[in-house]
Every structure is written in structure tokens, then in C-alpha cells.
Amino acid sequence: MLTSVIVSPEDILYHIKISCQIPNLLEAIATRKIIADTAVKEGIKIEIEELQQAADSLRLANKLIKAEDTWLWLKQHYLSLDNFEEIAHINLLSAKLANHLFVDKVEPSFYAHQLDYTGAVTYEVIFDDEDLALEIFYALQEGEISFQEIARQYIKNPELRRAGGYQGVRQRSDFRPEIAAAIFAATPPQILKPITTPHGVHIIMVEEIIKPELNEQMRLKIVGELFTNWLRQQVNQLEIVAKLVEDKNFPSSPEILSEAS
């Protein structure tokens, strides 16, 4: 039995390659370079106090309450204190750059896509049988059974069953198009006629439609979305050239790449 395993940098790179993670890794590296280069061009600067706050936020996000927790976390991830500071720095730089580029575009984007930010509070039960779903729907309409009763009877997931099929507050983009169309045309409280999707036959109770407000949380969300889309566009315009060491273990014979017979 092995008591220890020595893992070299070459082993790590090889595993990343055969795990097909190289494309995502290259995109992440390119994204970081884009953020750093653009921040320099836009004159984004970070003060020491801001960096300290970013480091504190990073600790809180990873539940690093005590100094010992931080040291163990660094060891687990093979990071130095300088690396930790770099992570806090890029997080803060990303946030400041996003705000710098898109804070003035928040209101126009919000009002242009206001319907997309509208939320709905729903309950849902999914059936395999369409006839049964229709039967249950008409029973609900007649008041012969409550939604909580059908949730207890037909939902298999214990937690979802205990919650009566409660789906929480979800936005239009969280629903399939055919379901979203019905939900946001409803007059709450309303039980929708069964909707068939590849997942089954859905009976949905729309409890509330929540109109979006342009509060601080929504502003942060929109800035984040605009920044993410912008980064994706920037990456797509790049030609990423990876200078990797040639893999000697890769088969020299092309037979492995031939079509299966």
C-alpha cells in the first residue's frame, strides 16, 4: 500500500490535459490578463485600505475566521500569503473595473430588460401521466384537494415535499420559455393548466409576481451581468496561443484517431 505519492508539476499539467481542462484554464488566464490590462488603461488604482477590505471579504467568503484557519486553507491550496493577496487584488480589481465600465449603463439596461428581472413565487408538482395531471388540476379547480395535499402525495424529494413544492423566487430566465410565458401572464394567486415539457407534466401555482426594483442588489447584479458579457466578448476576439511542453506520451500513430468501424 502506498503511504505517499509524489506529484510533479509535469504530473499536474498532464492531468489537466487528459481531463480536457486546458480550454477552460486558458480562458480563465486570458480573462485575468484582460482585466489587468484594461484596468491599467482605464487608470484603475487600488488603495491599501481597499485591498485590506478585499482580503477580509475573501476570508469571510471562505469562513477563515482565525489566523490558523487561513494558514490551513493556504496550505490546502498550495498558496502563499503573496498569492492570497493576489487573489484579493484581482477580485477587487474586477469589481472596480466592472463598476467603472458599466455603472452608467445600469439604468438603461434595467429598463430595457425589466421583464427579465420580474420575479415569480411559485409552487410546482411534476407528473409523469398527463391524464392524471389533468384530473388533479380539475380537482384543484373545484376545491376538492389542496396544492399542499398533492405535493405531499406526489413529490418524491423529501425536502421539496415538506416545502409543499415551493420553488422560491425565480426570474423569467430561470424558467423554460413555455412555462415562463404562462407564469408571467397569470393573475396570482392562480393554478396554471398542466404544461408538458421533456421533464414531465407541470402543475404550477403562481402565488405572487414580484416587480423588480432598481435597488443596490439589482444594480450589482446588472453590473455583474454586463461585465461578464463584456469579458466573454473580449475573450472570443482573442487568439489564445498556449506554449505547452510537447506531450511525449501522446500516441504517434494516427490509427487511434481513425473512425470507429
Side-chain angles (χ1 to χ4, degrees):
M1 179 181 292
L2 293 174
T3 56
S4 64
V5 176
I6 305 299
V7 179
S8 68
E10 291 77 14
D11 292 329
I12 295 172
L13 177 58
Y14 182 67
H15 178 77
I16 291 173
K17 290 175 72 174
I18 65 174
S19 300
C20 303
Q21 297 179 46
I22 289 290
N24 290 337
L25 184 63
L26 294 178
E27 183 174 322
I29 293 171
T31 298
R32 181 166 53 83
K33 289 181 179 292
I34 289 168
I35 291 171
D37 291 346
T38 308
V40 171
K41 292 178 183 177
E42 296 293 329
I44 305 296
K45 296 181 180 179
I46 291 178
E47 304 297 334
I48 295 176
E49 294 80 6
E50 293 178 313
L51 186 58
Q52 182 59 56
Q53 290 177 359
D56 291 342
S57 297
L58 183 57
R59 290 190 184 93
L60 285 174
N62 290 281
K63 300 179 180 178
L64 307 177
I65 308 302
K66 298 179 293 185
E68 182 182 357
D69 299 332
T70 302
W71 283 112
L72 288 173
W73 186 85
L74 291 174
K75 183 178 179 181
Q76 178 187 0
H77 293 89
Y78 294 86
L79 297 170
S80 67
L81 273 176
D82 287 342
N83 295 146
F84 187 86
E85 184 175 314
E86 288 171 15
I87 296 171
H89 185 275
I90 190 64
N91 288 348
L92 178 57
L93 199 64
S94 298
K96 293 192 71 169
L97 180 61
N99 192 65
H100 174 79
L101 293 176
F102 297 107
V103 69
D104 293 336
K105 297 178 174 60
V106 168
E107 288 195 21
S109 180
F110 173 75
Y111 291 112
H113 302 92
Q114 196 165 358
L115 286 178
D116 295 331
Y117 297 120
T118 303
V121 179
T122 61
Y123 293 77
E124 180 181 65
V125 179
I126 303 176
F127 296 85
D128 295 325
D129 187 293
E130 186 175 2
D131 291 336
L132 175 60
L134 277 170
E135 181 182 333
I136 294 294
F137 170 71
Y138 289 123
L140 285 166
Q141 292 287 86
E142 295 297 325
E144 298 172 3
I145 191 172
S146 70
F147 201 93
Q148 287 69 29
E149 287 175 310
I150 69 165
R152 286 196 297 268
Q153 187 173 349
Y154 293 102
I155 294 178
K156 296 178 181 178
N157 181 287
E159 291 186 7
L160 194 56
R161 183 172 62 244
R162 294 187 194 106
Y166 179 62
Q167 299 293 306
V169 180
R170 302 166 71 190
Q171 292 182 339
R172 180 179 288 268
S173 59
D174 297 323
F175 297 99
R176 293 179 61 88
E178 64 271 36
I179 291 179
I183 286 175
F184 291 99
T187 304
Q190 180 180 341
I191 297 174
L192 304 180
K193 191 172 182 179
I195 302 170
T196 302
T197 75
H199 299 292
V201 186
H202 305 246
I203 292 184
I204 299 171
M205 180 172 70
V206 183
E207 183 176 82
E208 184 182 359
I209 299 295
I210 302 174
K211 293 183 178 180
E213 295 181 10
L214 191 53
N215 52 28
E216 187 60 26
Q217 183 179 359
M218 180 61 72
R219 287 180 181 276
L220 290 173
K221 175 182 173 64
I222 295 173
V223 166
E225 290 174 348
L226 293 173
F227 188 54
T228 298
N229 291 337
W230 176 80
L231 282 173
R232 190 178 296 116
Q233 292 172 1
Q234 299 302 306
V235 170
N236 289 340
Q237 292 172 7
L238 289 178
E239 179 187 0
I240 303 175
V241 179
K243 295 185 177 181
L244 302 177
V245 177
E246 184 178 354
D247 188 355
K248 296 179 181 179
N249 294 317
F250 195 82
S252 57
S253 171
E255 293 177 1
I256 195 173
L257 300 179
S258 62
E259 294 185 3
S261 57

